[in-house]
Amino acid sequence: MPKTTPARPAKSKLPEVPAPPTALVRRARKNDRVLAETYPDADIELDFDDPFQLLVVTVLSAQTTDRRVNAVRPLLFGRYPDARALAEADRAHVEEIIKPTGFFRAKSERIIALATALVDRYDGEVPPRMDDLTTLPGVGRKTANVVLGNGFGIPGFAVDTHVQRLSRRLGYVDAETVKDPVRTEMVLDKLIPKRDWTMASQRLIWHGRRCCHATKPACGGCAIARWCPSFGEGPTDPDVAAKLLRTEGRA
């Protein structure tokens, strides 16, 4: 019998956000242009060869560093190169491979369930649609946007903790809105042209990792300090700030 195509899930209802003031739109786009000049090599820092690998490593990246995920990736996909192989994997073996990423028991259960769902619903292929991706175990809008933007070239504004933090500090969203990553995403979608969503998100992530740190932002070394309403949350002296900057290598 021919394989039936799974029913397409209904589109999720997204929160409505008001149109931002024109001055804020201009400032956000100016900031993005300056960050593009500051980080011309900005790109996703997770290694992957295809959308399936990207989906799995993005799930594994929760509450750990990209470096740790990149370190286990060759062994993981050398042993389980596709969704079918991972769906049939021995969980204890997967746990042993991904142990350095932390929370390895929960993560192994999650990625095996994810692979199983891909096999059962999509013939082992990663679907290039938000409403399909977000039905998969462990996949929210942030992960889906990462996969769409970097795996398929479909614009998506991935909102992680760095993007949330910078969105608040830069005055794009207020303290209440920033608690909700989906509402934050909707605001950012209105500030930045759609064609730039993926890279604008990546540039904010790079800036958060290298300069606008969570506990002590390097305000005195920030390329967009003059347009930042939170300037002064961290050291403003250039020499002091310079010691906080991360300017070489992957974060």
Side-chain angles (χ1 to χ4, degrees):
M1 292 181 63
K3 194 172 185 68
T4 57
T5 303
R8 188 73 58 81
K11 286 191 174 183
S12 55
K13 185 173 176 57
L14 297 172
E16 298 253 353
V17 297
T22 301
L24 181 58
V25 173
R26 289 175 177 165
R27 180 159 61 84
R29 295 183 181 187
K30 173 66 175 178
N31 285 339
D32 187 52
R33 289 194 296 273
V34 174
L35 290 178
E37 296 169 359
T38 305
Y39 307 112
D41 299 323
D43 200 358
I44 186 169
E45 296 187 277
L46 287 166
D47 295 334
F48 65 97
D49 292 331
D50 54 48
F52 169 68
Q53 288 193 10
L54 177 57
L55 181 57
V56 173
V57 297
T58 303
V59 171
L60 291 179
S61 69
Q63 296 178 290
T64 190
T65 64
D66 289 354
R67 284 182 177 180
R68 287 179 180 168
V69 177
N70 289 338
V72 305
R73 185 190 74 95
L75 182 56
L76 179 64
F77 295 117
R79 181 69 178 82
Y80 308 109
D82 54 36
R84 283 185 172 79
L86 185 57
E88 297 170 357
D90 177 76
R91 179 172 162 181
H93 188 250
V94 175
E95 288 179 358
E96 188 62 30
I97 294 173
I98 68 169
K99 194 171 185 178
T101 69
F103 303 96
F104 59 93
R105 292 188 179 88
K107 287 181 179 180
S108 63
E109 181 177 1
R110 193 168 300 145
I111 63 174
I112 291 172
L114 171 60
T116 301
L118 287 174
V119 172
D120 291 345
R121 303 177 201 171
Y122 303 107
D123 200 26
E125 298 297 319
V126 177
R129 295 171 294 274
M130 172 65 72
D131 289 309
D132 290 327
L133 286 168
T134 52
T135 66
L136 298 170
V139 179
R141 286 189 65 88
K142 189 269 285 187
T143 295
N145 275 321
V146 169
V147 173
L148 291 173
N150 297 280
F152 293 103
I154 299 171
F157 216 119
V159 176
D160 71 353
T161 55
H162 297 291
V163 173
Q164 284 179 280
R165 180 174 73 254
L166 269 67
S167 294
R168 179 194 65 79
R169 284 180 175 166
L170 291 168
Y172 298 164
V173 297
D174 58 33
E176 191 59 35
T177 300
V178 79
K179 296 175 184 177
D180 184 341
V182 178
R183 289 190 67 85
T184 299
E185 179 192 341
M186 297 302 102
V187 172
L188 294 170
D189 283 354
K190 290 180 179 292
L191 292 174
I192 302 295
K194 184 174 182 177
R195 66 180 181 273
D196 298 327
W197 287 351
T198 301
M199 288 309 301
S201 170
Q202 200 57 59
R203 288 189 278 265
L204 287 174
I205 292 169
W206 271 52
H207 193 55
R209 287 175 172 174
R210 289 159 174 79
C211 179
C212 196
H213 311 300
T215 55
K216 189 182 284 189
C219 292
C222 176
I224 55 175
R226 63 182 293 189
W227 303 288
C228 180
S230 300
F231 180 73
E233 282 195 18
T236 59
D237 180 272
D239 293 332
V240 176
K243 296 176 182 177
L244 301 174
L245 292 173
R246 294 199 55 173
T247 57
E248 295 181 5
R250 306 179 89 181

